[in-house]
Amino acid sequence: MFETLKKATLDKIFVLMAEYAADPRAGKIDLGVGVYKDDKNITPVMRAVRKAEQRILDSATTKTYKGVVGNKEFSAAIVDLALGNTIDKSRIRTVNGAGGTGALMILMHVLGRARPKGRIFISDPTWPNHIPLAENANLEVHYYPYFDAATRGVNFAGMMEVIDGLTADDIVLLHGCCHNPTGANLSRTQWDAVAASLQRTGAFPLIDLAYLGFGDGLEEDAYGLRKVVAAVPEAMVAFSASKNFGLYRERAGVAIAIARDSESADVVSSQMQNVIRGTISQTPDHGAEIVRVILEDKDLRAEWEAELTEMRERMGRLRVKLSAAIRQKSNSKDFDFIAEHSGMFSLLGLPGEVVQKLKTEDAVYMINDSRINVAGIPEDRVDELADKLLAAVR
Ligand code: LMR
């Protein structure tokens, strides 16, 4: 049986994570996988999460099935968080996903059934997992330009040239905020233009929302997606609670479908449930229940928001410190973009051999496209990191 199989390529992000873990060097620096880290270099269990978990442990009476749609109260709280009052609830249907990736998997499979071999336009570059997710769902992957390598900003003219030419049969995958891997994000005016374009062409938006609250704030980060879903008759959003609730391994996410009307929404819901039942049968509930408890409780919610703010501000501070250290040492503004980007990542634009050298000689780990996770910058070693980066590019 197995002799017919070829070795599959593993995702570079998790390959790097394993390499980092196996590296015995004491001063190694991990700017790789996108997990938040605090000033002690650990990915903490958030305070509100710990309390919610304790409550669940104390009060749970059963672990029986929730049903195929999962934890409905969790989904409803996420719809409120992400969409506010933008859309009439009668047009929205939700199911839980196993993390944001699970939500994307469900939504893309439904789209693959609606448009077998349909074209999905993905930003170039993007999170690497978007590609197998789309291919596994019977969609054909195409790209729109996104990143301007010279300015390290968004190549908006290039992006719109493709977006404006889409048809009503096409799907466009947008990063709701905090673009992964670049860290370069659309301005409000640019989001307005994207929304107007989709309204005009009828192309279908699928929005990946994995970092809500990591950019400028919960409300601020929702601007673009709310603008888009308000402008079009149909859309989908994949929400992840991995980062903003620090629930990575619990796999908590929500697949949100917005249809023209309630009748059509019921059809989409049946398809989403059919995908779940035929793949994983039921979604995990522990993380979903934690988020439900937090969002439904005034105090826990305030505590969560405060910690999320601390995390966001810490990432912002690390951006400013690293770019300032590089500017001061090199007398150039070449890395100022790190402070201008937002979210968890910045794409440094370094050649592959420089990334490789930083890893082998300096034990500085970043993804091979030169994406850094800014939360991994050690605050007390910013100068040392700046020196290493500058020495490597010289
Ligand atoms: C990342 O981009 O590093 C994270 O989203 C982790 C992952 O699943 O790839």
Side-chain angles (χ1 to χ4, degrees):
M1 181 59 72
F2 298 155
E3 75 285 354
T4 62
L5 296 176
K6 285 201 205 77
K7 204 162 183 184
T9 316
L10 301 176
D11 188 297
K12 60 188 179 186
I13 296 173
F14 284 90
V15 170
L16 190 79
M17 189 175 161
E19 278 182 54
Y20 175 81
D23 188 333
R25 287 174 287 181
K28 60 186 179 178
I29 294 177
D30 180 16
L31 308 177
V33 64
V35 296
Y36 178 78
K37 288 173 188 199
D38 65 13
D39 52 1
K40 293 178 202 69
N41 201 31
I42 60 166
T43 304
V45 178
M46 291 177 80
R47 297 187 288 271
V49 166
R50 223 177 253 294
K51 290 185 187 166
E53 260 180 326
Q54 193 57 53
R55 275 192 209 174
I56 295 164
L57 200 64
D58 292 342
S59 64
T61 52
T62 180
K63 292 221 182 260
T64 188
Y65 296 120
K66 279 267 184 195
V68 179
V69 299
N71 192 320
K72 291 182 195 153
E73 297 79 13
F74 161 55
S75 294
I78 293 305
V79 167
D80 285 341
L81 187 72
L83 301 181
N85 290 321
T86 356
I87 304 290
D88 191 288
K89 298 278 185 331
S90 66
R91 293 172 50 209
I92 302 180
R93 294 295 180 277
T94 52
V95 294
N96 292 177
T101 307
L104 279 171
M105 186 271 285
I106 295 160
L107 295 172
M108 286 196 190
H109 270 80
V110 172
L111 292 172
R113 290 175 179 187
R115 291 285 183 282
K117 302 253 180 287
R119 302 195 297 175
I120 182 167
F121 286 78
I122 296 181
S123 73
D124 177 20
T126 196
W127 181 52
N129 212 21
H130 281 150
I131 294 142
L133 275 162
E135 287 171 351
N136 290 338
N138 199 23
L139 295 169
E140 199 181 276
V141 174
H142 294 256
Y143 295 94
Y144 57 87
Y146 185 80
F147 193 58
D148 181 341
T151 63
R152 266 82 158 190
V154 178
N155 172 7
F156 193 63
M159 171 177 176
M160 291 315 284
E161 220 175 284
V162 173
I163 302 281
D164 281 336
L166 300 182
T167 74
D169 284 325
D170 294 325
I171 301 154
V172 57
L173 177 58
L174 299 163
H175 297 226
C177 63
C178 310
H179 188 267
N180 181 3
T182 66
N185 293 293
L186 299 180
S187 67
R188 289 193 171 201
T189 336
Q190 290 171 334
W191 273 113
D192 295 349
V194 170
S197 173
L198 297 174
Q199 190 172 45
R200 205 167 47 241
T201 63
F204 181 95
L206 166 61
I207 302 172
D208 185 355
L209 191 60
Y211 296 88
L212 185 70
F214 267 33
D216 299 314
L218 284 168
E219 285 292 307
E220 292 83 346
D221 291 353
Y223 177 87
L225 87 122
R226 290 182 187 176
K227 190 81 195 187
V228 167
V229 299
V232 297
E234 300 176 324
M236 285 173 165
V237 180
F239 176 88
S240 169
S242 297
K243 325 279 164 160
N244 44 18
F245 287 85
L247 286 169
Y248 309 89
R249 63 175 68 165
E250 301 295 357
R251 313 311 299 141
V254 183
I256 304 171
I258 300 161
R260 285 171 197 278
D261 52 37
S262 182
E263 216 182 337
S264 160
D266 280 337
V267 175
V268 182
S269 172
S270 72
Q271 288 288 343
M272 296 196 290
Q273 293 178 59
N274 181 272
V275 171
I276 296 174
R277 181 63 174 150
T279 50
I280 57 172
S281 182
Q282 310 275 320
T283 47
D285 187 59
H286 187 63
E289 181 63 0
I290 291 168
V291 175
R292 179 196 72 76
V293 168
I294 293 172
L295 292 181
E296 286 184 358
D297 182 284
K298 203 167 117 301
D299 295 336
L300 284 183
R301 187 182 179 121
E303 195 165 358
W304 166 67
E305 285 193 24
E307 192 168 354
L308 181 63
T309 303
E310 280 168 33
M311 291 157 72
R312 178 174 62 249
E313 289 178 351
R314 180 177 136 74
M315 290 186 281
R317 193 170 67 239
L318 291 169
R319 288 183 177 281
V320 170
K321 283 194 172 174
L322 181 61
S323 65
I326 297 178
R327 192 184 322 122
Q328 191 247 324
K329 286 169 192 297
S330 65
N331 206 16
S332 93
K333 295 183 172 176
D334 291 356
F335 285 86
D336 279 14
F337 66 86
I338 296 175
E340 284 147 24
H341 286 165
S342 68
M344 186 168 240
F345 307 112
S346 269
L347 194 66
L348 298 187
L350 307 179
E353 53 291 0
V354 172
V355 173
Q356 186 64 27
K357 192 169 139 211
L358 279 161
K359 181 172 77 175
T360 48
E361 293 178 17
D362 298 315
V364 174
Y365 283 73
M366 65 184 73
I367 310 300
N368 61 8
D369 59 4
S370 75
R371 184 195 82 174
I372 61 164
N373 167 11
V374 295
I377 298 169
E379 196 160 5
D380 51 348
R381 292 168 64 202
V382 168
D383 273 326
E384 179 194 336
L385 178 61
D387 284 333
K388 286 180 166 157
L389 289 173
L390 285 170
V393 295
R394 266 183 204 128

